[in-house]
């Protein structure tokens, strides 16, 4: 097959019509180059438009991702605040319970101290009565023995 193509090329070059075809070929080459240049410009324009579309799409995706991340962060913050509130309420409830326990213990201790004070007052009153009775008996003993001390000694 190569031989057939080579023969045709030799025949085209040998004929006088070849010079006329050369000027037509030049015009055709120029037309091809012009078409290629226009196609290249069109491809560049399409590529720029596609790049701009990709840029807009990327920007939109980035904005959507940013919104999603912000929403997720907001949810996490809300969860942290909710957990903190629950912990604070739990601590507050524990403090209330401890406070009530301290108050109850203080009330019981106060009642116990009042009872102890009342018992001490009763003992003091009982001791005063007992001392009063002892005092009365001592006075009786001294009064009974006093007349003996006033009587003259008959032995002397």
């Amino acid at each position: 097959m190569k031989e057939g193509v080579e023969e045709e090329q030799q025949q085209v070059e040998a004929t006088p019509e070849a010079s006329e075809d050369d000027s037509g070929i030049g015009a055709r080459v120029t037309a091809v180059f012009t078409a290629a240049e226009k196609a290249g410009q069109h491809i560049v324009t399409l590529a720029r438009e596609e790049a701009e579309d990709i840029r807009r799409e990327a920007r939109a995706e980035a904005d959507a991702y940013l919104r999603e991340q912000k929403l997720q962060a907001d949810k996490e913050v809300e969860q942290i605040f909710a957990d903190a509130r629950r912990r604070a309420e739990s601590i507050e409830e524990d403090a209330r319970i401890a406070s009530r326990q301290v108050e109850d213990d203080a009330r019981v201790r106060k009642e116990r101290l009042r009872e102890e004070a009342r018992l001490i007052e009763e003992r003091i009153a009982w001791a005063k009565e007992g001392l009063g009775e002892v005092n009365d008996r001592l006075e009786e003993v001294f009064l009974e023995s006093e007349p003996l001390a006033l009587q003259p000694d008959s032995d002397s």
Side-chain angles (χ1 to χ4, degrees):
M1 261 188 124
K2 286 183 181 179
E3 292 175 12
V5 171
E6 288 177 9
E7 285 178 19
E8 269 183 46
Q9 285 178 350
Q10 287 173 355
Q11 287 176 357
V12 168
E13 291 173 4
T15 61
E17 293 174 354
S19 62
E20 289 175 9
D21 285 341
D22 285 343
S23 64
I25 290 175
R28 285 184 189 159
V29 168
T30 303
V32 167
F33 280 143
T34 304
E37 191 175 302
K38 286 182 181 179
Q41 289 173 351
H42 182 69
I43 290 171
V44 168
T45 302
L46 290 177
R48 284 184 180 146
E49 289 174 0
E50 189 173 339
E52 187 59 35
D53 288 346
I54 291 171
R55 192 176 308 124
R56 275 193 298 269
E57 212 174 285
R59 195 171 290 137
E61 287 176 9
D63 289 345
Y65 180 76
L66 182 64
R67 281 191 300 274
E68 182 182 322
Q69 292 302 311
K70 187 175 184 289
L71 183 64
Q72 183 66 29
D74 289 345
K75 285 180 182 179
E76 289 177 16
V77 167
E78 287 177 20
Q79 184 64 39
I80 290 169
F81 278 140
D83 290 346
R85 271 189 234 108
R86 279 193 295 276
R87 281 192 226 134
E89 288 169 359
S90 174
I91 290 169
E92 188 177 355
E93 183 60 27
D94 291 347
R96 279 192 208 114
I97 290 169
S99 172
R100 279 188 233 123
Q101 183 64 44
V102 168
E103 288 174 356
D104 291 346
D105 291 349
R107 198 173 5 268
V108 167
R109 182 161 170 75
K110 184 178 177 181
E111 288 301 318
R112 191 177 307 135
L113 289 173
R114 281 186 184 161
E115 182 63 23
E116 288 176 10
R118 188 187 63 76
L119 290 174
I120 290 172
E121 287 173 2
E122 283 181 6
R123 288 182 189 148
I124 290 172
W126 178 76
K128 282 183 180 179
E129 284 179 25
L131 288 175
E133 288 176 12
V134 168
N135 191 30
D136 290 344
R137 284 189 190 155
L138 286 174
E139 282 180 10
E140 285 176 20
V141 169
F142 283 126
L143 288 178
E144 287 177 5
S145 56
E146 196 174 293
L148 292 175
L150 292 177
Q151 293 177 358
D153 271 343
S154 36
D155 294 337
S156 12

